[in-house]
Amino acid sequence: MCGLGGRRSPFVATPGNLVSSGMDPIPVFDAEAVFAAVPAEMAIERTRLAFERHARGEWVMPPKVYVEAPPEGDFRAMPARGDGFALLKWVTSFPHNPERGRPVVIGALLLSSAQTGELLAIMECGSVTSLRTGAAAAVSAQLLARDDARTVGVIGCGVNGRWAARCLAAAGYGPGICADVRPEAAVELADELGWRSGPREEAADQDVVVTVTPGERPVVLTSDLREGQHIAALGADAKGKGEVELDALGRCRLFCDEWEQASRGGELSGAVAAGRLSRQDVTDVGDVILGRKPGRLSAGDVTLFDSTGLAIQDLAIAIAVYEAWSRGEVEGPEVRL
Amino acid sequence: MCGLGGRRSPFVATPGNLVSSGMDPIPVFDAEAVFAAVPAEMAIERTRLAFERHARGEWVMPPKVYVEAPPEGDFRAMPARGDGFALLKWVTSFPHNPERGRPVVIGALLLSSAQTGELLAIMECGSVTSLRTGAAAAVSAQLLARDDARTVGVIGCGVNGRWAARCLAAAGYGPGICADVRPEAAVELADELGWRSGPREEAADQDVVVTVTPGERPVVLTSDLREGQHIAALGADAKGKGEVELDALGRCRLFCDEWEQASRGGELSGAVAAGRLSRQDVTDVGDVILGRKPGRLSAGDVTLFDSTGLAIQDLAIAIAVYEAWSRGEVEGPEVRL
């Protein structure tokens, strides 16, 4: 995954990095550079690898740390280490920012060499977040949806919903129904992918259903479920958020990105707090990827993947961006720190 | 403390920041710019304010998060919020890096607006760390040393030891004795300040003694202590590190930057783990600043301040840098994220 050709490598002691003192200029990548460096297919592949390496214990990640910033939301510090790199993502979740013309997710991502400690790159983090969030939906569908699953329902067509749809399309899923409380957002996404916009109920009736809403109220109801579906719930990423009705969860075969994080804040955490779910009811997708645990057991299962968003996923995307830069495929202004 | 004049302010909604979408170019400050923006006197004043605001509960700081990076050391993610700003410091402690021509402390610091979530600045973090670490030694001396304390002993003349000496000098202390296992480092610092280099024992015999070593073995022994001294132990910042003999600790009136952090990793943590110290034996300096708790009780007390290094101190320095930039006093290249 991480063979670094090209400009420089944190793995090999060259005269250049022996004398660098952390003072070499480092590249800064804006969202445009991140998206140019990592197409959807690569984001999916790297995200799957992140889940796998984490499940093997090769990539490590302490729990993310929240800094409350009332009344707007919170900041999150998300560190991870793997494949010779260390990463820190510093990111807001300010849900009402769009009302003031600003994104919900703002911040930066710092990529360092875990061997030398040197800072290697600074990246815009909304783009990395969108890629790894959207890619996780596609990874979960490839892993858990029925082999004959094709159609997609996207509930919530904001920035991360759009990337989930793009990644699912890149993985061969579609056509899809795009639903959003802002009809113009649904239409725009549908037009981009050659899909169709429609009501929430119709989106919830597709083979693969992705929810990417603020998680303030359920958007997948018990009455929506049909046999054989796969649901990727991406929106709930903190305590008190949820996109799927509690009773509906009880009818699903449940998967998550990481139990530790998902049980504390995410789609499943409400049911965990209510004593309706415990560890043995939920499988980490990394364990399914490794073949340690089963995924879908029958064609009739409704599988549900709770994505809370892991720093190891950000790490996977950040490494891919850095490698693309090392190969000379993308550029960014360089600064000296 | 944080009245922002000049170029832009995160506190006031102007057309500029209403439409900024986190996409305004932001300044990047290298170590030179940080040191130019914040002279030692200002670092001391801001560090004292950080302790005070934290003690009042106005500035908040979750525990720092460690990411182990064996065999070199670890990375730390240190978030904080206060006065309308949020901060994340991402920094290494790679103790053997100097053997390879690299600093122990490498990384970057991200300053955001806690009101809008916007990233405001990126800074080199070794410089911020040095300023706030050195300044903490001076704050502790002003607060806890005897009024007639003058002479300084510096044990460990690396980068943070130098800044401790500079801050103590700026606070009116001196002359001093500089000691280091590398005699040339001690001579260089002594020359800069018009002080003198000397053996460890002599440095440990001064009115104010600052230790800034890797913390791998005690450099202040029980036999060194004399009545009325003040000791600032700055070097031990993680589990298993210590610069002061356990028996010597028992003879001191003890203070720390924050019990929560200091009891888990720092000068006092060994004694805490051994059951020889507990919460009531140690006073946070913020409580002394606020007058909630007494400092030195008698002229004969040996006071000891355990500095483990707090993200709120970094925040105080980072705000000062940002304000200096807002006033047009320092410059940094601007990048778009």
Side-chain angles (χ1 to χ4, degrees), chain B residues 58-273:
Chain B
E58 294 168 5
W59 287 21
V60 297
M61 174 181 64
K64 64 173 103 171
V65 185
Y66 292 83
V67 182
E68 300 299 325
E72 294 304 334
D74 59 65
F75 289 81
R76 292 137 196 221
M78 302 172 64
R81 177 176 56 76
D83 276 19
F85 293 90
L87 166 118
L88 189 284
K89 184 164 86 162
W90 172 241
V91 61
T92 56
S93 177
F94 276 30
H96 298 287
N97 251 1
E99 298 157 22
R100 296 173 202 96
R102 284 187 292 264
V104 173
V105 168
I106 310 178
L109 188 153
L110 303 170
L111 185 69
S112 301
S113 160
Q115 269 105 16
T116 68
E118 289 171 291
L119 199 60
L120 300 175
I122 300 171
M123 302 178 199
E124 194 278 333
C125 79
S127 50
V128 174
T129 304
S130 291
L131 280 171
R132 61 89 150 143
T133 303
V139 169
S140 79
Q142 291 174 325
L143 201 65
L144 301 169
R146 278 165 47 155
D147 288 341
D148 60 355
R150 286 292 170 272
T151 63
V152 175
V154 182
I155 302 176
C157 301
V159 58
N160 290 337
R162 290 201 295 273
W163 278 99
R166 287 169 188 149
C167 288
L168 283 163
Y173 293 95
I177 303 295
C178 303
D180 198 292
V181 289
R182 300 154 302 151
E184 68 284 5
V187 168
E188 190 182 326
L189 177 60
D191 286 352
E192 174 188 326
L193 296 172
W195 294 1
R196 198 157 58 70
S197 66
R200 183 203 66 77
E201 295 75 7
E202 192 183 357
D205 191 42
Q206 305 305 308
D207 298 343
V208 173
V209 179
V210 191
T211 62
V212 204
T213 69
E216 287 163 1
R217 63 188 65 84
V219 292
V220 173
L221 313 180
T222 313
S223 56
D224 291 322
L225 298 185
R226 64 170 175 80
E227 287 200 346
Q229 277 185 309
H230 173 66
I231 300 165
L234 310 184
D237 62 349
K239 220 175 226 167
K241 295 187 179 182
E243 301 184 286
V244 181
E245 266 191 349
L246 208 54
D247 285 340
L249 285 181
R251 289 192 41 200
C252 297
R253 179 167 291 280
L254 299 174
F255 301 85
C256 67
D257 46 14
E258 190 201 37
W259 170 254
E260 200 57 33
Q261 183 168 303
S263 59
R264 282 186 288 187
E267 196 53 52
L268 306 177
S269 57
V272 172

Side-chain angles (χ1 to χ4, degrees), chain A residues 17-23 28-31 60 62-63 65-70 72 75 77 79-81 86-90 92 94 97 100-103 106-119 122-124 333-337, chain B residues 17-23 28-31 60 62-63 65-70 72 75 77 79-81 86-90 92 94 97 100-103 106-119 122-124 333-337:
Chain A
N17 67 27
L18 276 174
V19 300
S20 67
S21 311
M23 303 288 277
V28 178
F29 303 112
D30 62 11
V60 297
V65 185
Y66 291 84
V67 182
E68 301 299 325
E72 294 304 333
F75 289 81
R81 177 176 58 76
L87 167 120
L88 189 284
K89 184 163 87 162
W90 173 240
T92 57
F94 276 28
N97 251 0
R100 297 173 202 98
R102 283 188 293 264
I106 310 178
L109 186 152
L110 303 170
L111 185 69
S112 302
S113 160
Q115 270 105 13
T116 67
E118 290 171 291
L119 199 61
I122 301 171
M123 303 178 198
E124 194 277 333
E334 298 187 18
V335 295
R336 201 174 281 278
L337 268 183
Chain B
N17 67 27
L18 276 174
V19 300
S20 67
S21 313
M23 304 287 278
V28 178
F29 302 112
D30 62 11
V60 297
V65 185
Y66 292 83
V67 182
E68 300 299 325
E72 294 304 334
F75 289 81
R81 177 176 56 76
L87 166 118
L88 189 284
K89 184 164 86 162
W90 172 241
T92 56
F94 276 30
N97 251 1
R100 296 173 202 96
R102 284 187 292 264
I106 310 178
L109 188 153
L110 303 170
L111 185 69
S112 301
S113 160
Q115 269 105 16
T116 68
E118 289 171 291
L119 199 60
I122 300 171
M123 302 178 199
E124 194 278 333
E334 298 187 18
V335 295
R336 201 174 283 276
L337 268 183

